[in-house]
Amino acid sequence: MGTGVSEEIYKALSFLLENYTGRLLIDADGLNTLAAFGKEKLKDKKCEVVLTPHIGEFARLTGKNKEEILLDPITCAKDFAKEFGVTVLLKNAVSVITDGSETVINVTGDAGMAKGGSGDVLSGFAAGLLNREEEPFFCVSIAAYLFGRAGEIAAKEQNSYTITPSDIITAIPKAINSVL
């Protein structure tokens, strides 16, 4: 996030994909960089990769138009995840999480979360959970659910119009406690 889209960023991302052996979450400018300079690099990776696009980023990455994706987001995400061997969290009002074989639909959340910075919170939270021993698919599914639940809690404490990404962050412990 926040790196911009350039050939230098693509070289750095390519280096990580070719050499890093941990788990790598790619969002925002990283996704747009892959779309602009070559998503095929994902096929030669040494690491486990999670992609967290919203519909517009996913359209750029796949070459499909937004309407086509919105008609069947599950199949679009699943096919991409299977082809490239990645886990996809396709962010929308109803999000799709898939690794190409398993798929989860996340319906938690609030309309007030559709603000700049909210996706960054989700990606950061998911990246943190990816440090656990569980499979990336499981970690990202849990992150999406808890992030959405945190948004619901924040909206209930305030309202959908005024919640900010910071309010969602503050509500994450409450979301975790609500399921424990």
Side-chain angles (χ1 to χ4, degrees):
M1 301 165 252
T3 61
V5 176
S6 69
E7 200 165 334
E8 289 81 26
I9 296 301
Y10 185 69
K11 287 177 185 175
L13 192 50
S14 295
F15 179 83
L16 287 171
L17 290 167
E18 293 167 2
N19 296 285
Y20 180 60
T21 57
R23 293 177 173 174
L24 182 63
L25 186 139
I26 304 172
D27 188 32
D29 287 340
L31 297 168
N32 292 327
T33 296
L34 286 173
F37 295 98
K39 65 186 174 197
E40 295 302 316
K41 205 48 119 164
L42 290 169
K43 291 184 177 180
D44 301 324
K45 67 193 171 312
K46 289 193 174 150
C47 54
E48 294 177 292
V49 173
V50 173
L51 306 177
T52 58
H54 58 59
I55 298 295
E57 291 163 338
F58 196 61
R60 286 187 287 279
L61 193 60
T62 62
K64 297 180 182 205
N65 64 48
K66 291 179 188 178
E67 293 74 23
E68 184 180 357
I69 294 166
L70 289 170
L71 283 174
D72 193 358
I74 295 170
T75 300
C76 290
K78 191 173 181 176
D79 288 350
F80 189 91
K82 189 177 286 188
E83 179 180 354
F84 291 94
V86 298
T87 299
V88 174
L89 165 51
L90 181 56
K91 301 179 288 193
N92 203 12
V94 173
S95 295
V96 176
I97 303 102
T98 184
D99 62 4
S101 59
E102 292 185 88
T103 302
V104 169
I105 307 303
N106 182 61
V107 297
T108 63
D110 182 87
M113 298 169 76
K115 293 183 173 98
S118 292
D120 297 336
V121 172
L122 173 56
S123 291
F125 185 49
L129 289 180
L130 284 169
N131 284 311
R132 300 181 58 83
E133 291 182 18
E134 290 86 1
E135 290 298 312
F137 172 78
F138 179 78
C139 294
V140 174
S141 298
I142 295 299
Y145 176 82
L146 291 172
F147 171 75
R149 185 76 185 99
E152 292 170 349
I153 292 167
K156 187 175 181 183
E157 290 177 351
Q158 296 179 57
N159 63 68
S160 294
Y161 300 103
T162 63
I163 61 170
T164 65
S166 294
D167 297 322
I168 298 167
I169 292 168
T170 300
I172 287 174
K174 295 173 188 174
I176 293 168
N177 290 334
S178 77
V179 297
L180 291 179

